[in-house]
Every structure is written in C-alpha cells, then in structure tokens.
Amino acid sequence: MRRKRILWQLYPSYLLVILVSLAAVTWYASRQFRQFYLDRTAADLHARILLVEEEIRRELSAGRDEQTDSFCKKLSRASTRITVILPGGRVVGDTDNPPAEMDNHADRKEIRQALAEGFGRSQRFSHTLREELMYVAVPIEDKQKTIGVLRASIPVTSIDRALAAIQLRIAAAGLVVALFAAGVSWFISRQISWPLEELKHGAERFARGDLAHKLSVEDTREIGALAETMNQMAAELDGRIRDVVSERNQRDAILASMVEGVLAVDAEQHLISLNQAAARMLAVDARKAPGRSLREVVRNRRLQALVDGAFSGGDSLEDDIVLGDPRERFVHANASLLCDADGRRIGVLVVLHDVTELQRVDKIRRDFVANVSHELRTPVTSVKGFVETLLDDAIDKPEDARRFLTIVAQQTDRLSAIIEDLLTLSRIEQDAEKAELAVEDCPLKSVLEAALGVCRNKAARSGVALELSCAEELRAEINPPLLEQAVINLVDNAVNYSGKGSAVDVEAGREDGSVVIRVRDRGCGIPPEHLPRLFERFYRVDKARSRKLGGTGLGLAIVKHIAQAHGGRASVESTPGVGSTFSLHLPGAGSER
Ligand code: ADP
C-alpha cells in the first residue's frame, strides 16, 4: 500500500475544514440576511397598506368600486402594486390592471391567510410580470365585518440581486481568508510534519546501523521527548551491539587460536560455526561453510554418525575419525549436545583433536624400535653363532678360531658403532630439545680441515682425492665438534660411494645470508625415489653395500640432527651415475671478518 506523507494527511484536512466552515458561514449568513431583508420588506409592505387602508375602507364600505380602482391607479406611481379584493375573491381595484380583466383571487395563498388569520404573506413567481414577487395582505374591516382584503406586492428579484452581490463579496473575502488559511495551515502542517520527517530520517540512519547519529531535540515537548528516547535507545543499542561484537570477537579469537577444531551444528544439522582449525582439518572454507548442511560440507560417515548419536542420545560421544582430504589425517572427535537456557536441544558441538602427528611419532617410535632390534639382532646372531661354533670344537682349530674371532670382533665393532651412533643421535636430540647446544662464532675452514684430516687416510686408500674450498675469513655460529662430525659423515659417505680415481669437493660459502657447506662427489648417485627418505634413521639405498662398507644407516640422520640443532637444515641433490651433492645450510649468524 502506498503510504501518504503526514503533510498530505494534515494539510488537505485543514484546508477542507477551513473551506467547509467558510462555506457554511457564508451560506448561513446569506440565508439570515435574505430572511431579514424579506422580513423588512414584508414589514414595509404592511406599513404601506396601513397608509392607504383608511381610504380604501371608506370607498369599499360605500360600495364605490370604481373610486377604489382609480385610487389604486393613483398609487401606481409608487413602485408598490396595490390590489383590493372583495371577500369573495373578486378584484375591485389594482394599480396596474383593470379589475374586470383579473381572475378571481380567492384562491391566492396570502388572501386566504389574511381572511383566516388577519395577515397573509406569500412569495411566488408572477407569470404576468415574469419575476418573483412578495405579497402582503390584510383584511379590511368595517363594523366588525370583513369587507375586503388589501394586498400590496413588490418584486423581490432586486433582493436576490443585492444578495448575490453581497454573496459575491463574501465569497471574495472568503477566498482571501481561505488563501491566508491555506498558507497558515501549510505552515502549521510543515511545522508538525518536519520534525517527524527528521525523526524518520534519523530512525532510517539508526536502521542502517549508524547508531552514533544524534537526533536534534525539538522544542515541541512530545517530539522532543520522542527524539530523546530514540537517542537513548540508539545509544543503548550501540552499547549492546558493541558488547555483543566484542564478546563475539573474543570468542572468535579464542576459537581461532585453539589448536583443536571446534564446530557447532543446529538441530537441522546445518553448520552454525566452525573455527580455523576445524576448517583446516575438514578442508572446508570457514567463511562459506556456516549455514550449509554438515552432510553436504564434510561427507564423513563416522563424523555424521557421531553427531547423530550425540543429538539423539543426548550424551557426549567420542570416536577416532580418519579424514582423507587433501592428505590423510587422524582425528579424535568429541561430540556433545548443545542445549539452550530452557534445556531444549538446539544442536551439537564437536571438538576435533588432530592426532596425526602423535600417530606419526608413535609410528616412528615403533619403526625405530623395530629397526634398532633388527640392526642389533644381525650382529648379535652372528656373534652368537660363531661363539657357539668355537665352543663346539672350532676353538681347537687355530686357523678357524682366528677367522671366527675376527668375524666376532667385526660384528662387535659394528654393534659398538651402532650403539655409538644411537648415543650421538640421542645426545644431539636432547641438546637441541633443551636448546643447550653450545655454539661459538669460529672460522669454518679449520673445522672443515679437521674433518677432511680424519677422512684423508681412508680416501687415499680408496684412491679418492679430497678438495677443500673455503675462504679463510668465513665464520659461523657453530658447535665445532658436532659440525666436524657431520662433515666427516658426509665425506665418509662420498668416499664410500665414489669410484677409484674420482674426487670429492668440499666447499663452503655464503648464499642468501646463510652459510652453506657442500660435499660433492662424482659417484654412483641416488635414484630420486629414495631422496625424500634418505635422512631417516636406518634408511639405506643399498643395504648390502652399506653393511659391507660398515655403515650403520644412521650417518645421514646424525647429519640432519646436527644441522637442525644449529637451527639449519640438510639437503641432497643427486643424479644416478653422475654423483651427489649433500649440503648443510646453517643460519647466517656468523660474519666475515
Ligand atoms: P650408511 O651408514 O649406510 O652410510 P647413511 O645414513 O650415512 O648410512 O646413508 C644412508 C644411505 O644413503 C646409504 O646407505 C647410501 O645408500 C646412501 N648414500 C649416502 N651418501 C651417499 C652418496 N654420497 N652417494 C650415494 N649414496 C649415498
């Protein structure tokens, strides 16, 4: 429905009231005026009758009809018409016409009235004169007997003309008054509607959220009070909205900083909210998901069943869920019922704990135990076997005994090497965990030279040349013995996997703000599928060759942990048949002096 402006409701009604009252007053006044005028005219006619009554009575009582008529004719100079009628209705005298030609007047209203009541008055259109006339008639009495009726008449058209002129003037004056009243009522209407319009605009701004806007308080008591109340309401609302927003922000901040994923669904299982962690775990968009159905967004049967169970059972439930997108994640989920203040079930809250890392660590631990057991069992089985063989006679055959004991000694060395490497690893890990690794700013060249010194004999035996390229002034924040150990491991591997006559280069320098040590060989290289796992404990590309070379499978794991303990990392690039380059990236805290 189209609603009218208050101005257009007030103004026309004001105008209507003014015009109707003006018209009513004009109509009433002209009626009263006309009536007064007619009464005055009737009184005037009556007075004129009284003036001539005596003369007419005399002529009538004497029965002198002709004299009566001629007396009437004499009066014709006055504008009033005088007629004398006998009680039977016959006209005996008239100012204008010969009585003989005139009708019987017994049926005329004023005549009947005069005869019956002593005074008659009427007003009607005269077809003879073609205008409206007023008639006043009185009986003429002689000796208690009515001998005739004397009638005077006058046209009233002039009255109407005079009245019309007066009405016209009243109407003109009324029009002026109406125009003035229209102006005043327009002004008053605007005075009333303008503050209301202001309030309306203010309320619209409030509705758009601009609650800081202040309505100007009007002089009018009611509108001023309304404006004040609306201002108070807006301020109150603003305060409450601020509270709600800050509470929501706090809640969002808490939820966003939680490691656990939190999601809530309503009774129809539409997502009400979910935090960043939950969105990450479920691989959904945290902004787009709310409002959509859980079934459609997550598509995980076990999570769905958990939510269904919590909602229908009213209990807290938990389950381990595997989420597969984009990579497999293991999640421990707790679902509990959400109830409102009246205890009605309104939804379910699900808390998701990502246990993927725990599972991974647990798997690593299990694998490690299995690997260690496996690595230790081989030499122990071998030692046990040879010792038993020795005990069964072989001890009496010196040559066999020597050979077996040599093998036992080798296996014991191997056992001790494994244990030594494991201890080194655990020591580095502990130091790194406690951040207790003692580092100092020292020149790298001396450390690299010491490492190469350790490997030099073995390299010479294998016919491999060792080259070092490192600026004298290159320094880094390092733990020298550990870094030396890492470089020894890398150079030892490079020598082991290089062919006779090739060379191993050790280079150190600055790259993009960090210190990089590279050990490059031109050996057999490593197939790409092994590279991602190469730094894992006990990971070997060629197990038999590694064992034959006396490797424990822990060398590169130690290198990686030493790099990490320094706050850096280890990396490898390799091409089968061309060679491998192992790099140690150390943070660039050291400076060239
Ligand atoms: P290992 O004691 O067996 O040498 P590492 O952890 O030092 O154990 O090395 C893991 C595996 O990586 C080795 O078994 C070997 O297969 C491979 N490897 C390491 N360094 C090289 C290299 N320079 N060239 C080719 N393969 C290498």
Side-chain angles (χ1 to χ4, degrees):
M1 191 181 82
R2 237 187 91 74
R3 282 176 285 188
K4 274 193 262 172
R5 287 175 62 186
I6 192 160
L7 180 69
W8 295 121
Q9 290 191 334
L10 285 177
Y11 179 61
S13 39
Y14 275 165
L15 208 60
L16 191 72
V17 168
I18 289 167
L19 290 178
V20 166
S21 31
L22 205 70
V25 167
T26 312
W27 177 78
Y28 183 72
S30 23
R31 254 184 76 90
Q32 288 300 314
F33 185 75
R34 190 167 198 273
Q35 197 53 47
F36 172 76
Y37 204 90
L38 291 174
D39 288 350
R40 289 290 320 146
T41 311
D44 192 36
L45 285 177
H46 192 203
R48 290 180 195 195
I49 288 173
L50 292 181
L51 282 178
V52 296
E53 189 187 7
E54 198 43 53
E55 187 69 33
I56 300 288
R57 182 185 293 116
R58 213 175 318 124
E59 300 296 345
L60 270 187
S61 58
R64 292 191 290 265
D65 292 358
E66 260 170 51
Q67 279 77 352
T68 307
D69 186 48
S70 59
F71 178 70
C72 289
K73 294 280 185 300
K74 264 185 246 166
L75 294 173
S76 72
R77 268 168 287 151
S79 58
T80 317
R81 179 183 172 195
I82 299 285
T83 314
V84 181
I85 303 116
L86 292 182
R90 188 169 65 87
V91 178
V92 286
D94 186 72
T95 42
D96 295 354
N97 301 319
E101 290 172 18
M102 290 173 72
D103 301 336
N104 187 305
H105 273 42
D107 60 342
R108 301 295 199 276
K109 188 183 166 203
E110 66 279 0
I111 305 295
R112 277 190 280 118
Q113 224 176 353
L115 288 173
E117 297 164 21
F119 181 82
R121 174 178 160 182
S122 78
Q123 197 177 318
R124 65 177 170 275
F125 189 78
S126 156
H127 291 283
T128 332
L129 300 175
R130 311 206 65 78
E131 58 184 345
E132 180 99 1
L133 290 174
M134 176 186 273
Y135 302 91
V136 169
V138 285
I140 304 167
E141 297 193 348
D142 188 37
K143 294 178 199 124
Q144 309 289 320
K145 194 169 159 253
T146 304
I147 55 168
V149 176
L150 184 54
R151 186 184 77 171
S153 61
I154 193 168
V156 287
T157 331
S158 59
I159 301 172
D160 284 333
R161 268 200 298 275
L163 265 175
I166 288 168
Q167 275 171 342
L168 200 69
R169 261 181 249 160
I170 292 177
L175 196 71
V176 172
V177 171
L179 282 177
F180 176 70
V184 171
S185 66
W186 172 264
F187 178 72
I188 293 173
S189 303
R190 280 220 52 94
Q191 283 290 96
I192 296 173
S193 72
W194 184 78
L196 291 175
E197 297 252 333
E198 281 293 288
L199 289 183
K200 188 190 94 176
H201 290 313
E204 279 169 358
R205 286 181 70 164
F206 290 158
R208 284 197 299 270
D210 180 9
L211 294 170
H213 174 69
K214 281 269 165 292
L215 296 172
S216 57
V217 177
E218 281 296 315
D219 298 341
T220 323
R221 195 196 297 171
E222 290 83 355
I223 292 178
L226 182 61
E228 258 169 31
T229 312
M230 282 174 75
N231 281 340
Q232 276 171 10
M233 188 190 75
E236 178 95 345
L237 207 62
D238 199 23
R240 287 198 191 172
I241 289 175
R242 270 174 214 279
D243 288 350
V244 169
V245 168
S246 100
E247 267 173 35
R248 196 192 60 196
N249 288 348
Q250 275 177 11
R251 191 197 63 201
D252 286 354
I254 293 170
L255 284 176
S257 58
M258 277 176 75
V259 184
E260 288 83 10
V262 180
L263 66 96
V265 294
D266 62 14
E268 275 78 44
Q269 298 210 354
H270 287 115
L271 275 166
I272 304 171
S273 77
L274 79 169
N275 68 353
Q276 290 296 335
R280 247 192 331 271
M281 286 181 212
L282 301 171
V284 297
D285 188 333
R287 279 166 306 165
K288 289 188 191 155
R292 292 173 61 197
S293 121
L294 178 71
R295 205 176 295 271
E296 167 197 345
V297 173
V298 180
R299 294 177 189 278
N300 185 295
R301 286 226 313 280
R302 292 189 65 163
L303 182 65
Q304 193 63 54
L306 191 71
V307 170
D308 290 343
F311 194 75
S312 48
D315 259 344
S316 288
L317 296 178
E318 49 189 279
D319 196 3
D320 288 316
I321 294 171
V322 181
L323 300 170
D325 199 21
R327 64 192 173 91
E328 198 171 67
R329 302 194 80 90
F330 298 92
V331 172
H332 184 75
N334 290 74
S336 46
L337 197 62
L338 281 176
C339 295
D340 66 7
D342 302 328
R344 276 193 302 259
R345 299 173 180 198
I346 55 165
V348 173
L349 183 79
V350 182
V351 180
L352 304 168
H353 306 263
D354 190 343
V355 291
T356 315
E357 192 57 22
L358 281 178
Q359 295 251 355
R360 197 181 68 83
V361 171
D362 195 46
K363 184 172 181 309
I364 289 175
R365 189 187 55 77
R366 277 184 273 120
D367 287 355
F368 179 68
V369 171
N371 283 336
V372 171
S373 317
H374 180 74
E375 290 295 330
L376 294 179
R377 200 181 57 200
T378 319
V380 167
T381 313
S382 165
V383 168
K384 188 169 176 263
F386 284 111
V387 169
E388 279 170 0
T389 317
L390 281 170
L391 289 175
D392 300 342
D393 300 344
I395 200 156
D396 301 327
K397 298 175 190 156
E399 249 178 50
D400 284 352
R402 172 169 288 279
R403 194 160 51 86
F404 291 164
L405 283 172
T406 310
I407 295 170
V408 168
Q410 275 173 358
Q411 294 301 335
T412 326
D413 282 350
R414 194 169 145 67
L415 272 176
S416 117
I418 292 173
I419 290 164
E420 196 56 47
D421 279 356
L422 283 173
L423 285 174
T424 309
L425 257 181
S426 101
R427 214 171 32 243
I428 301 166
E429 271 180 344
Q430 274 173 13
D431 285 356
E433 253 171 41
K434 295 185 204 150
E436 274 179 358
L437 187 72
V439 289
E440 55 185 285
D441 181 23
C442 59
L444 271 181
K445 192 164 185 184
S446 55
V447 178
L448 299 179
E449 273 171 348
L452 289 187
V454 173
C455 301
R456 218 169 276 285
N457 275 342
K458 184 174 175 181
R461 276 202 306 279
S462 310
V464 177
L466 300 181
E467 306 285 344
L468 173 65
S469 156
C470 175
E472 292 286 346
E473 60 279 7
L474 186 64
R475 301 172 75 93
E477 294 267 342
I478 53 166
N479 177 304
L482 278 185
L483 191 69
E484 189 183 320
Q485 172 76 65
V487 177
I488 290 172
N489 285 6
L490 291 178
V491 175
D492 191 50
N493 278 348
V495 170
N496 280 343
Y497 297 99
S498 288
K500 217 181 180 103
S502 78
V504 171
D505 301 327
V506 179
E507 297 163 8
R510 284 189 170 275
E511 276 177 30
D512 301 332
S514 52
V515 174
V516 182
I517 302 165
R518 294 190 197 285
V519 177
R520 179 179 297 118
D521 65 57
R522 291 156 189 89
C524 59
I526 305 156
E529 66 272 18
H530 295 285
L531 295 180
R533 301 192 58 193
L534 207 61
F535 290 93
E536 284 178 19
R537 294 159 207 226
F538 298 115
Y539 191 82
R540 295 178 175 102
V541 178
D542 181 347
K543 286 197 175 81
R545 184 166 178 190
S546 163
R547 290 219 176 88
K548 210 172 117 209
L549 293 167
T552 59
L554 292 167
L556 287 180
I558 292 174
V559 170
K560 182 180 85 173
H561 279 87
I562 290 176
Q564 286 175 348
H566 280 84
R569 65 189 172 86
S571 67
V572 58
E573 289 162 53
S574 184
T575 314
V578 176
S580 316
T581 303
F582 286 82
S583 308
L584 283 172
H585 304 258
L586 305 176
S591 54
E592 283 173 322
R593 289 182 196 157

